[in-house]
Amino acid sequence: MIVLTRGSRVAAIVRTIVPLAIVGVVAGVLRRFPPAQYSFYPRCPIYEAFHLQCPGCGATRAVAALLQGRLNEAMHLNALITLLLPLAAAYGFGWYWRFVRREDDGWPRMPGAPVYVVLAVASIFTVLRNLPLRLFQ
């Protein structure tokens, strides 16, 4: 019987592998079951209620398109997510690195200023994508 104590070698291996496995499983599901072809993905409640696209509308399909190597399609589906994904991945990798080295055991925390900048950009993006001009469609 294997016991996972906080300082054990098995616990360290599990701590290192589990976050990567979760990301791998999510990416695998998106690649195997594209959101455009399968209906088990949740629908946006904002779009369903108001027929307005929120900043996240099309994000799952955009990530799936990126996993297939289709950058143009991803930009068409959700330019904001497509452009912010490398920044989010870099931040996530930094958090993962600190997590594995036990420098930070808590949830990732973002400094206030970048959060406000992203919220402002997302708000502007939302307004622009819902204008009749269809700049981001």
Side-chain angles (χ1 to χ4, degrees):
M1 182 167 139
I2 298 175
V3 177
L4 295 178
T5 60
R6 184 157 169 82
S8 76
R9 181 158 174 79
V10 174
I13 292 170
V14 169
R15 179 182 182 89
T16 302
I17 292 174
V18 167
L20 296 176
I22 291 170
V23 170
V25 167
V26 169
V29 168
L30 281 174
R31 277 189 55 87
R32 174 63 182 94
F33 304 104
Q37 297 173 4
Y38 292 89
S39 62
F40 62 84
Y41 293 97
R43 299 185 55 84
C44 178
I46 294 172
Y47 186 78
E48 291 293 314
F50 304 111
H51 298 288
L52 294 172
Q53 293 186 346
C54 74
C57 280
T60 306
R61 291 177 288 140
V63 172
L66 283 174
L67 288 171
Q68 298 287 337
R70 299 188 309 258
L71 179 61
N72 286 340
E73 183 181 344
M75 286 295 288
H76 175 73
L77 292 167
N78 192 316
L80 180 66
I81 295 298
T82 304
L83 295 174
L84 289 180
L85 196 58
L87 296 173
Y91 183 79
F93 179 77
W95 175 82
Y96 171 74
W97 186 253
R98 288 188 307 277
F99 177 76
V100 168
R101 295 175 51 126
R102 295 189 182 271
E103 294 173 5
D104 184 8
D105 281 336
W107 284 98
R109 291 174 200 68
M110 289 284 295
V115 170
Y116 294 127
V117 168
V118 168
L119 286 174
V121 169
S123 298
I124 293 167
F125 175 74
T126 302
V127 170
L128 291 176
R129 82 184 310 199
N130 285 295
L131 289 176
L133 302 172
R134 301 290 182 212
L135 297 174
F136 298 103
Q137 290 280 316

